[in-house]
Amino acid sequence: MARSSICFAECPKKTGLPREVVKWLQTLDLAFYPKNVRRDFSSGYLVAQIFSHYYPRDFSLHSYDRGTSLSAKQWNWSQIEWSLEKRNLYLKKEAIDGTIHCKPGAAELLVLEVYTILTKGRVSDVEGPEPDFTDEEYQNLLPSLARSTASKAIKNNLTATELKAAPDISTNQRKAENILRRHHEHKAAERILNPELWSSPAWSRASVSFKEIKVRQPAKHSLVNY
């Protein structure tokens, strides 16, 4: 079977949580402490364990899978959503999906939601707009010449688990096109702000057009667990 033409992004490295949330997590006697927020909360098991401290009858941990496969994640999160719904509690669907697929900022936002629901507390040192679960913030920290190309932007922001979870080619094609559209919008803004850079030979390469995007579903046997 032919390999996919896209090299999919792995879970980003660890990121931080507000101090009061970290202290709260340390009081819960979790099965393991989340050293890598995006990876360790992705399966949903730790989230179920957190809720079990507050609602032990609704969150029986033997019903949850400690695995890291996509199917294990989907099972765990469906159980969490079902148990929360019985108490008229809800987590943002976008945050759940982003957490499953290790999207930048998704797990952090979800943990803050859980913290707010369970403690009724407010996090004081969270500022700025709600994350969009892309690598845009990281890209903005880089010099213009070091930022992702159009094809790399797609690879960074469309994960293998997303493609496997929603195996509809047209849906994933639209996701890729949206990523590419945003990439071109940022490049257009850069062109206005730094016109001298665009006269450099480094920018003379042809850009990727929508018609060139071909999103192929990954072969099942080639996927690694996230």
Side-chain angles (χ1 to χ4, degrees), residues 39-110:
R39 180 195 64 204
D40 294 341
F41 281 101
S42 180
S43 73
Y45 184 84
L46 277 184
V47 175
Q49 189 175 22
I50 291 172
F51 278 114
S52 72
H53 281 271
Y54 293 81
Y55 309 120
R57 293 185 178 181
D58 295 330
F59 291 85
S60 179
L61 291 181
H62 75 267
S63 300
Y64 291 86
D65 193 330
R66 298 191 65 166
T68 58
S69 67
L70 177 60
S71 59
K73 295 177 182 181
Q74 291 173 323
W75 167 257
N76 287 345
W77 282 107
S78 66
Q79 290 282 97
I80 290 170
E81 290 184 282
W82 180 74
S83 296
L84 288 177
E85 189 174 354
K86 291 193 299 183
R87 290 185 166 271
N88 291 318
L89 299 174
Y90 302 90
L91 296 170
K92 292 181 181 178
K93 185 63 176 177
E94 296 84 354
I96 292 176
D97 290 342
T99 299
I100 289 174
H101 303 305
C102 293
K103 292 287 190 174
E108 292 86 343
L109 177 63
L110 187 135

Side-chain angles (χ1 to χ4, degrees), residues 54-200:
Y54 293 81
Y55 309 120
R57 293 185 178 181
D58 295 330
F59 291 85
S60 179
L61 291 181
H62 75 267
S63 300
Y64 291 86
D65 193 330
R66 298 191 65 166
T68 58
S69 67
L70 177 60
S71 59
K73 295 177 182 181
Q74 291 173 323
W75 167 257
N76 287 345
W77 282 107
S78 66
Q79 290 282 97
I80 290 170
E81 290 184 282
W82 180 74
S83 296
L84 288 177
E85 189 174 354
K86 291 193 299 183
R87 290 185 166 271
N88 291 318
L89 299 174
Y90 302 90
L91 296 170
K92 292 181 181 178
K93 185 63 176 177
E94 296 84 354
I96 292 176
D97 290 342
T99 299
I100 289 174
H101 303 305
C102 293
K103 292 287 190 174
E108 292 86 343
L109 177 63
L110 187 135
V111 173
L112 294 182
E113 280 194 85
V114 173
Y115 172 79
T116 301
I117 289 172
L118 294 177
T119 70
K120 312 301 181 184
R122 297 185 61 184
V123 180
S124 59
D125 60 347
V126 175
E127 299 179 355
E130 190 170 288
D132 58 5
F133 310 151
T134 70
D135 70 342
E136 179 180 339
E137 182 178 358
Y138 169 70
Q139 292 294 323
N140 288 338
L141 297 175
L142 299 175
S144 294
L145 290 173
R147 293 174 186 172
S148 293
T149 61
S151 59
K152 190 71 164 75
I154 295 173
K155 294 173 185 177
N156 287 348
N157 293 289
L158 189 58
T159 66
T161 52
E162 280 185 279
L163 299 182
K164 188 179 180 184
D168 175 43
I169 294 294
S170 61
T171 297
N172 291 313
Q173 188 88 2
R174 287 194 296 272
K175 288 182 181 179
E177 290 179 356
N178 287 334
I179 293 168
L180 185 58
R181 183 175 293 108
R182 293 187 58 158
H183 173 81
H184 285 321
E185 288 172 354
H186 286 297
K187 288 301 180 184
E190 286 181 17
R191 188 188 294 271
I192 294 172
L193 294 174
N194 302 294
E196 68 283 355
L197 289 177
W198 292 82
S199 61
S200 167

Side-chain angles (χ1 to χ4, degrees), residues 23-42:
K23 290 182 177 179
W24 169 67
L25 290 174
Q26 291 172 338
T27 67
L28 299 179
D29 192 27
L30 300 176
F32 62 92
Y33 185 77
K35 296 181 179 179
N36 183 314
V37 175
R38 299 176 196 177
R39 180 195 64 204
D40 294 341
F41 281 101
S42 180

